[in-house]
Amino acid sequence: MTVVVSAISNYPVMLAETVVKNLSEGLTKLISLKKELVDKLLIVDKIIAAENTWKEETRTVNLGVDFYLHAFSLFEITASATSSVTNYTLLCSQIWQKPTVAHKILFDKPLTDEEREVAEAMNVAESVEKGTLPLPFSTFIERITKTMRRCTVARSDSSVAEIPIFPLADEVVILRSVQIPTDATLKIRVDGNDICTLDGRACEGSDVELYVIAEDELRLTFTPSATTEWRFTYERAKLTDYLRMLLGRLTRAHDEELWMRVKAGIV
């Protein structure tokens, strides 16, 4: 897998799993996520590939580009080929986050005693019934991200290039998109951990939308072949108390009401 879920420490995060694989006749499993989903929620909102079959929990269907699902326990993609295929490509946009109380109520997942306390105190079930929770991911990150500066950097590198970006005091750096050529790779390192490597063959030269928060350092490693041009967009955002609580840097003892709002998924 090109997304290393075990190395992710800052949630929520939007990444892209890129797969390039030779297929034999018949079925070939491209993505299989089960243990990675323990205590996590996966939202898949885009898949770019030829015909495949996806499986989420107990349902199996054919897929297309227009795609959206929530997975709590299992997510798989299997390719079906009538003959061998060389360098079959797939890009799967993945949003990883800790499931909120609102998500669990919407999808009828069991709540812990602590989560039931939050649900009752914040009237979460009522908000879910009214349709105001859980928030769509795009709305959620728009509300929590207090952008101070956004920048698109265009580069031309004929050899391996490492680009470190460091947050200033009381801010975070957020990687929002990248575009790399089809004959290159890009490694994304966050706060000392390699969390994702994009293969340009699966990106097809298009912009790949991301949301990657770095508190200490964001480091991009671009490895080119013949094509040297690439670009990325990042922003500097205020490190608010909501973000600190969301990232686990503050606890219930610091601000109980804010802690409950974060657990519920209320912004």
Side-chain angles (χ1 to χ4, degrees):
M1 296 296 178
T2 60
V3 173
V4 186
V5 180
S6 61
I8 299 171
S9 59
N10 298 338
Y11 294 92
V13 59
M14 174 188 280
L15 295 165
E17 180 79 42
T18 53
V19 179
V20 180
K21 194 166 187 175
N22 294 333
L23 306 183
S24 301
E25 181 180 350
L27 301 178
T28 303
K29 192 169 292 184
L30 302 177
I31 295 176
S32 181
L33 300 167
K34 186 173 182 179
K35 61 181 176 57
E36 293 87 351
L37 280 161
V38 174
D39 297 326
K40 298 181 185 69
L41 167 63
L42 169 63
I43 303 174
V44 178
D45 73 342
K46 182 186 296 182
I47 294 178
I48 301 175
E51 289 186 3
N52 293 289
T53 298
W54 67 267
K55 183 175 183 180
E56 182 265 331
E57 309 213 348
T58 59
R59 298 177 294 170
T60 302
V61 299
N62 291 327
L63 60 82
V65 174
D66 187 12
F67 200 76
Y68 194 84
L69 67 83
H70 294 72
F72 289 85
S73 60
L74 174 67
F75 177 74
E76 293 180 343
I77 294 180
T78 302
S80 177
T82 56
S83 61
S84 62
V85 178
T86 302
N87 289 339
Y88 180 90
T89 63
L90 176 141
L91 183 145
C92 177
S93 179
Q94 300 180 350
I95 298 164
W96 289 90
Q97 65 183 94
K98 301 292 180 65
T100 66
V101 174
H103 283 114
K104 286 192 168 184
I105 290 176
L106 176 63
F107 290 96
D108 197 26
K109 301 297 180 182
L111 301 179
T112 65
D113 291 343
E114 190 177 72
E115 289 168 339
R116 279 192 290 271
E117 179 187 356
V118 171
E120 293 173 4
M122 308 303 289
N123 296 317
V124 180
E126 181 179 348
S127 296
V128 171
E129 189 66 27
K130 289 181 177 179
T132 58
L133 287 178
L135 295 172
F137 183 72
S138 58
T139 303
F140 180 72
I141 63 173
E142 180 182 355
R143 292 186 182 182
I144 69 171
T145 308
K146 307 306 177 185
T147 304
M148 299 183 291
R149 177 190 172 194
R150 178 175 293 179
C151 179
T152 297
V153 179
R155 294 180 57 94
S156 179
D157 294 294
S158 58
S159 59
V160 176
E162 285 199 358
I163 315 298
I165 305 172
F166 300 95
L168 302 176
D170 296 321
E171 72 175 26
V172 293
V173 168
I174 305 176
L175 181 64
R176 297 305 300 261
S177 69
V178 300
Q179 184 186 53
I180 61 174
T182 56
D183 57 352
T185 63
L186 183 72
K187 183 168 66 177
I188 302 171
R189 187 175 179 85
V190 174
D191 299 340
N193 296 314
D194 297 334
I195 65 170
C196 182
T197 301
L198 298 174
D199 190 317
R201 291 173 293 178
C203 300
E204 299 183 339
S206 299
D207 278 308
V208 177
E209 183 182 1
L210 303 166
Y211 187 84
V212 181
I213 301 172
E215 289 188 273
D216 299 322
E217 179 193 20
L218 170 68
R219 182 176 293 266
L220 305 178
T221 303
F222 175 73
T223 304
S225 182
T227 309
T228 61
E229 290 77 20
W230 66 292
R231 68 172 182 256
F232 62 94
T233 298
Y234 75 97
E235 59 191 31
R236 297 182 180 274
K238 176 71 175 175
L239 181 56
T240 62
D241 279 353
Y242 193 100
L243 264 183
R244 287 188 176 96
M245 189 72 75
L246 188 65
L247 296 171
R249 308 308 180 252
L250 295 179
T251 66
R252 183 174 187 172
H254 177 83
D255 187 332
E256 185 169 30
E257 181 183 356
L258 178 61
W259 175 84
M260 286 196 172
R261 291 176 65 87
V262 171
K263 293 285 287 185
I266 299 170
V267 185

